[in-house]
């Protein structure tokens, strides 16, 4: 599905931005997977991550 602007024309740059806005960056996602797997071995659960530098938070997705 392609993103279209208000006039109905395709706008791939804006579409990529909108799709990636809610996603975790790859390097953070990789760290989350490692942490979540390690916590799972110990019977724990990671409920979310917060970037100290930017303050942005990513809750656990189910």
């Amino acid at each position: 599905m392609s993103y279209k602007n208000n006039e109905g024309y395709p706008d791939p740059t804006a579409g990529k931005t909108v799709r990636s806005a809610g996603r975790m960056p790859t390097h953070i996602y990789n760290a989350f997977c490692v942490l979540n797997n390690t916590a799972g071995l110990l019977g724990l659960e990671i409920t979310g991550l917060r970037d100290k530098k930017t303050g942005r938070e990513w809750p656990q997705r189910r």
Side-chain angles (χ1 to χ4, degrees):
M1 183 162 130
S2 64
Y3 184 81
K4 296 189 181 208
N5 62 16
N6 291 339
E7 290 81 26
Y9 294 104
D11 194 352
T13 304
K16 285 181 184 178
T17 304
V18 169
R19 278 192 303 274
S20 67
R23 290 187 178 171
M24 244 185 242
T26 304
H27 68 283
I28 294 175
Y29 177 75
N30 292 338
F32 172 77
C33 288
V34 170
L35 290 170
N36 199 31
N37 289 335
T38 304
L41 292 173
L42 299 171
L44 302 172
E45 180 181 33
I46 303 295
T47 58
L49 295 175
R50 183 173 54 87
D51 187 347
K52 284 180 159 182
K53 190 174 185 179
T54 64
R56 183 151 183 212
E57 294 184 5
W58 293 277
Q60 177 187 13
R61 294 184 184 186
R62 293 183 183 234

